[in-house]
Structures are given as C-alpha cells and as structure tokens.
Amino acid sequence: MLSLYPSRYDVDYLTSAVGSGSEYYLSATGGGGGEPPGYWAGQGAKDLGLSGDVDPDTMKALYEQNTAPDGSVLGRAARKFNGMRESLDERVEARVAAEAAAEGPYVTPERISQLRNMIRSRQRSSVRFYDFTWSAPKSMSVAHAGYLAAAKQARETGDGDRAAWLEAHAGAIIGAVRDAARTVVQEIERTACYTRTGHHGSGEGDWRDGRGITAAVFVQHTSREGDPQLHAHIAVLNKVQRADGTDVTHRALDGAPLFRQRLAIAAIADRVAQQRLMRDGFPLVQRADGCGAEIAGVAPETMKAFSSRRTQVTPEVARLVSEYTRQHGRAPSRRTLWSLRQWATLQSRRGKDHAPPPVDTELAAWAAHATRTEVQALAELPGAIGAAIGAAHGALSTAVRHRAIRVAVAEVQRQNATWTAAQLMWELHLALPVFAPDVDADQAMVDVLREALSGTITGTDLVLLAPGAEITDTSVLGVRENGEATHQRPCQARYATTGQLDTEEYLLTAARRTVRPAMSDDDARYAIAGTDLGDDQRAAVLGLLTSDRAISVLVGAAGMGKTHAMAAF
C-alpha cells in the first residue's frame, strides 16, 4: 500500500522517532529503543549537497524555513504571519507554550506534539512536504520479527553463525523495504515531477519538468498499535527546480500529478520489493484476494493476530457500509469504500509512540502475543518459510501478458466511467502473476502498460478521450520531455473502452425515445390526491406518471423520501 498526504505539520513527527540504535533492524540485540535515522534521496537532495543520514536540524530548517544547508533561502523565506513581526511558526510555538503551561507541569512530549498539530491545523499555511508512506505486506513484517526472534534464541544458545545467518535474512527484508522506497523516489521523478510557472489564474501558466525531488526517507518497524509493521515514510520537500535550467529558482511542486500517479508508483514499488525478496530466497505466493503477494510460510491467522488496526477498523467499516447501503439503496463503489475505510481509520487511530521500547522488549512481547493467540511461534517462522513452496514462476509470455491486460482493462472499466494509465497500471499489478526473480520489475510493468494502452490486444479496444488533439501546432510554446505541450496539465490522459462508449450511447438513445404516458394529467392528479406525499414528492410522482420518455430519472438528496415516493408511484 502507498498512501499520500500533503503535510503542513512539523517534521518532528519523523525525526523524533529516531532512537539510539542505528543497527536496530540488523541485530536482535543492537541498540536501544527507537528507529534508525532517515536518509536523503532524490536528485534535488544531491543538488543541495545532502547525502547519508538525515540531520534533524538540517531537515527542520529546510522543510520548515526553506533554508538550505549552506544558509541560502530556497524561493522565499518563511513569511511573517498577517503582517506581524512573528512568523507563523513563532506564533504557533507561542500558543503551544501557553496551552501547555495551562495544562500544568506534567505535560508529556506526546501531548505537546498533539497541541502543536491541533493549533497548526487551524492556521492557513502552505504544504511543506508530501508524505508518501509505503507499507509492506503483513507477512514481510511478521517474518522480519520472526528472523530477529530466532536470531536472539540462537545467540542465547551460543550459535553465533546461525544468529548471523538469521539476521542477514532480516536485513534482506529491510533491503526490500528500502528498494521500494528508492523506487517511489525514482518513479516520482520519472512520471510526476512538475512545477507550475507563470500566472495560472489568468490561464497563461505553464507546467514544466522538474529537475528532481528532495526526499528524506525514514524506515520504521511498528504500527501505532505496536504491531510489527515495516513501512517507509518518503517525505518529499515541496520545492523543485526546473529541469531545463532556465533559472535556479526553487518553486513549489505541482501536487496534482503526485496524486494522479500514486497507484502506478505503488504498483511498481510493490513489484520491486517482491523481486528483491525472491532474489534473496524468500518464497512468495499470491494472496487469496488477489491483492499482491505474501511470503509463503507465514500463516493467514498469524498475520491476522498481528493486525490490530484491521481488527479494530473492520467492524466500523462494516457498520458504515451498511448505513450507506440503507441510505442509498446500493452498495458503495470501491472509491466510496476506500473513503469510508479512511474515515474509520483516522477516527479510531491513536497517537504514534515516538519512543518504541528496545528490540529485546518488543520481541518478547510479540512472542508472548503469538503464544496467547495460539498462532505460529515467532522464532519458528524462519523454519516455516524455509519449508514453504512459493509460486511457480513461468516466463512472462505473450499469453500471460495479454490475459492480464484483458482482465485489468475489464476491471478498471468496471470501476470507472473513464480512467487513467495509473489506474490501469494498478489493475495490471493485481492481474499479473509473481515475476521470476531475474525479471526487471519496473521495466516489465512499464512495458506491459505500454502494450495495454496500444489498443492492439484483442478484447481491449481503448479510446483516448482526453486531452483532445491540438487544432494547431503548439510546439513553439514549449514541450516537456515526454512530448506534451507545456501549456497542458500533466498526467491528464483519460481512457475508456469502445464497449463502454457504446453502452453510454445506447442509454442516451433509449432515454431520448418517447412513448405514450402511463396516465393523463387528470388521472395522475386524482391518483396522487389519495396519498400522504409531500409537495415535492407529489411533483416528482406526477412527472413520472405523465412523462413521455421511455426512461425517467428521479434524483434527490438522501432523506428526501425517494423510496417513499417510488412506492406511491
């Protein structure tokens, strides 16, 4: 899963989670509590001279004050608030200090962070960074904990060689997470790195290629509930330079392409992580629901036992779905279901613990939880994974590709009237089998998408709906690296199948067909007079009874009494 949120908050959320043990992930006995430090990624970071571990003070100055490591200001300095002498940050901190003081001398750091976010959310401020969060499949997280638990046991019995072997496998899983994060950065720079120039309010602006992003990557290992959950925060600075080198100004990233390309970026990152795992000897199997792959040998009940958030959120989502179905008379679409799940998740989640306990303490707690819930013992997972048989990896043949393309096109069209290439890429990811370990995953996904969009695969007659063809040559105005004119919004291409367009045309034609009304005006009014309908409902039913259209559509907001009106009709 890859989530994306525009963040107006402090970077302390990320930097404060860093603990004392930078070798946490590679050793069952290394370091104290906390997470390893973040690291810099992206061409923009290189241009600013940033590499290696993230220094919290450098990141705070860059992300919150637009101040580069050399002291120069990127774009404009943080503006003063409403013409006052204090900046927005200074005013927020003053409010935080005042409210913290009012609550007494025992205010915790977590409470101060909560107050800061609450106060800042009430202020108007610009987006500081975009927080992409790639979350590993649950089997990866549980397997990582299992290898560390087994390594701990091996060291306690004096078997240092086996402990080192187990820790190397735990490190390989972290390597897959890092590969996924690296892919997210690369795909953003390849497909979604743009900046707006000119005066867009008057329609005279352009969208130019960005040179590259500045990203701080933080790999973390637990969920808010304390379950094993490997994930990577990729904090993308909302500053970018033009790729053509026309000037050296740092401008804001155009956020819209980031959201439009999220699904495609997620699909490729997932595939890259899978390839890394298989190259390192981990067997993979397709999930029963078709949504990606898991490490073979980790039982579903074990994954469920370490999925506290899903256990909490699922009943609330079921309640919301039932309420939605009752109000609207139909089940929610996939997009609506996603929104309901997001709402339920945000409403019920607790604050993140920025001081996780030492690894020994966590492993002991997780092992006890596995015993309590009667699932696989944590330290026995490496043996179960080693004995498991993964999916058979055949060649990515023409037949396999074409079948996946037909399935993906049918599914993306089923869910959307029109759709983007990124949405199709996600469905291709779900439809394609697990690749062989030697396949170049990112290139393979790009090639299959290009083949799908060609419209040459039998059963997938595609039509490019937007943007429309230019009526005159606009190349003199400038073109981006992908050949699009600079005055066109990037990532705007939308598609549909000819079957979808034929169905819509049939419905429109049928809707225009006239028939004899079911009742005359007088008969309809006489029939309605004996009902308990309100005035608006009477008008609606009268229109339905006396319409000369073969198809009539009754539209009304929830709670307007459409069901009652239709019963009377």
Side-chain angles (χ1 to χ4, degrees):
M1 184 180 71
L2 181 68
S3 62
L4 169 58
Y5 295 98
S7 178
R8 295 175 171 84
Y9 302 144
D10 300 331
V11 299
D12 294 343
Y13 171 82
L14 298 171
T15 58
S16 62
V18 174
S20 59
S22 62
E23 298 300 318
Y24 179 96
Y25 291 98
L26 303 182
S27 172
T29 58
E35 306 284 6
Y39 56 93
W40 294 106
Q43 182 61 47
K46 293 179 182 178
D47 293 342
L48 291 172
L50 296 169
S51 62
D53 291 348
V54 171
D55 174 68
D57 292 336
T58 299
M59 183 179 181
K60 194 171 185 67
L62 179 62
Y63 280 58
E64 297 181 12
Q65 299 297 329
N66 298 336
T67 303
D70 62 3
S72 62
V73 176
L74 307 185
R76 292 180 295 183
R79 292 183 296 174
K80 299 298 180 182
F81 186 71
N82 287 345
M84 299 182 182
R85 288 182 298 174
E86 303 96 340
S87 68
L88 174 61
D89 287 331
E90 291 167 340
R91 287 180 59 82
V92 168
E93 289 306 314
R95 289 283 304 278
V96 169
E99 295 203 16
E103 293 191 11
Y106 303 108
V107 180
T108 64
E110 289 75 16
R111 176 56 179 165
I112 291 176
S113 178
Q114 184 181 36
L115 287 172
R116 181 180 292 112
N117 289 339
M118 289 173 57
I119 293 170
R120 185 173 292 281
S121 68
R122 304 188 193 113
Q123 314 297 328
R124 292 188 61 186
S125 59
S126 59
V127 173
R128 292 177 165 178
F129 63 95
Y130 293 92
D131 185 5
F132 284 83
T133 305
W134 185 85
S135 297
K138 180 57 71 173
S139 61
M140 283 180 63
S141 303
V142 177
H144 173 258
Y147 278 99
L148 288 183
K152 181 174 180 293
Q153 284 189 0
R155 289 200 182 280
E156 290 172 348
T157 59
D159 192 347
D161 290 342
R162 176 161 176 77
W165 182 86
L166 291 165
E167 288 171 353
H169 278 68
I173 295 177
I174 295 301
V177 177
R178 287 176 173 264
D179 281 359
R182 171 184 53 79
T183 301
V184 170
V185 172
Q186 291 178 345
E187 289 303 308
I188 292 173
E189 292 188 326
R190 187 179 70 86
T191 66
C193 184
Y194 300 98
T195 185
R196 298 168 62 179
T197 63
H199 303 284
H200 281 256
S202 59
E204 299 175 357
D206 289 335
W207 284 265
R208 301 283 182 171
D209 292 304
R211 174 171 166 78
I213 63 171
T214 301
V217 181
F218 293 83
V219 177
Q220 300 182 350
H221 76 289
T222 60
S223 69
R224 291 174 180 268
E225 301 301 318
D227 291 327
Q229 183 57 57
L230 296 175
H231 59 285
H233 287 278
I234 302 103
V236 178
L237 179 67
N238 190 21
K239 292 292 181 185
V240 66
Q241 289 180 300
R242 283 175 55 163
D244 57 15
T246 302
D247 55 45
V248 295
T249 303
H250 283 79
R251 294 177 166 81
L253 269 172
D254 185 8
L258 300 177
F259 287 93
R260 296 190 191 109
Q261 291 298 114
R262 181 183 65 88
L263 287 176
I265 295 170
I268 297 177
D270 284 1
R271 287 284 167 170
V272 168
Q274 290 176 12
Q275 296 307 99
R276 171 64 183 268
L277 289 172
M278 286 189 293
R279 285 197 301 271
D280 288 328
F282 293 94
L284 297 184
V285 292
Q286 291 288 144
R287 287 171 54 98
D289 59 7
C291 296
E294 301 280 4
I295 294 178
V298 182
E301 57 269 20
T302 304
M303 290 185 271
K304 184 177 180 180
F306 289 100
S307 302
S308 300
R309 287 295 292 143
R310 180 173 292 275
T311 302
Q312 292 175 356
V313 171
T314 299
E316 177 64 10
V317 173
R319 185 189 69 79
L320 293 173
V321 168
S322 177
E323 183 177 333
Y324 181 95
T325 303
R326 184 172 61 255
Q327 289 186 0
H328 297 272
R330 57 180 173 81
S333 65
R334 176 179 276 189
R335 176 180 289 274
T336 302
L337 182 61
W338 180 86
S339 298
L340 294 176
R341 184 175 290 113
Q342 289 292 103
W343 188 89
T345 300
L346 292 174
Q347 289 296 112
S348 62
R349 76 178 182 180
R350 68 181 188 181
K352 181 69 178 287
D353 181 7
H354 289 296
V359 59
D360 286 348
T361 304
E362 282 192 323
L363 290 176
W366 291 338
H369 180 69
T371 301
R372 204 165 45 245
T373 53
E374 299 182 346
V375 296
Q376 293 166 295
L378 209 60
E380 295 177 1
L381 283 175
I385 293 170
I389 299 175
H393 308 300
L396 194 57
S397 64
T398 300
V400 170
R401 294 196 317 275
H402 288 189
R403 179 187 179 280
I405 290 171
R406 284 191 288 271
V407 170
V409 169
E411 183 62 18
V412 74
Q413 187 65 83
R414 184 184 70 83
Q415 297 174 28
N416 309 276
T418 66
W419 37 270
T420 65
Q423 290 172 305
L424 178 59
M425 175 73 93
W426 179 253
E427 296 302 333
L428 287 169
H429 168 50
L430 300 184
L432 285 164
V434 175
F435 295 157
D438 60 344
V439 172
D440 185 345
D442 48 358
Q443 188 60 52
M445 292 299 294
V446 171
D447 290 343
V448 174
L449 176 65
R450 186 180 297 113
E451 188 175 15
L453 294 177
S454 69
T456 60
I457 310 303
T458 303
T460 61
D461 297 326
L462 309 183
V463 178
L464 175 62
L465 301 178
E470 297 282 359
I471 61 175
T472 186
D473 182 15
T474 59
S475 60
V476 67
L477 301 176
V479 294
R480 294 190 289 270
E481 289 183 4
N482 60 7
E484 295 176 341
T486 56
H487 70 275
Q488 291 183 338
R489 292 177 181 269
C491 307
Q492 285 292 303
R494 301 197 68 85
Y495 302 83
T497 61
T498 55
Q500 172 75 11
L501 299 180
D502 288 345
T503 299
E504 293 176 359
E505 182 61 30
Y506 167 78
L507 290 174
L508 291 173
T509 301
R512 288 191 291 264
R513 184 168 60 89
T514 58
V515 296
R516 180 180 177 181
M519 303 179 74
S520 68
D521 291 356
D522 291 341
D523 289 342
R525 290 192 181 92
Y526 179 79
I528 292 173
T531 68
D532 61 350
L533 297 175
D535 292 342
D536 289 342
Q537 294 170 333
R538 286 171 181 254
V541 173
L542 178 64
L544 293 171
L545 289 173
T546 60
S547 173
D548 64 350
R549 293 298 183 99
I551 295 178
S552 296
V553 181
L554 177 61
V555 181
M560 296 295 291
K562 297 186 297 296
T563 301
H564 185 59
M566 289 305 298
F569 164 74

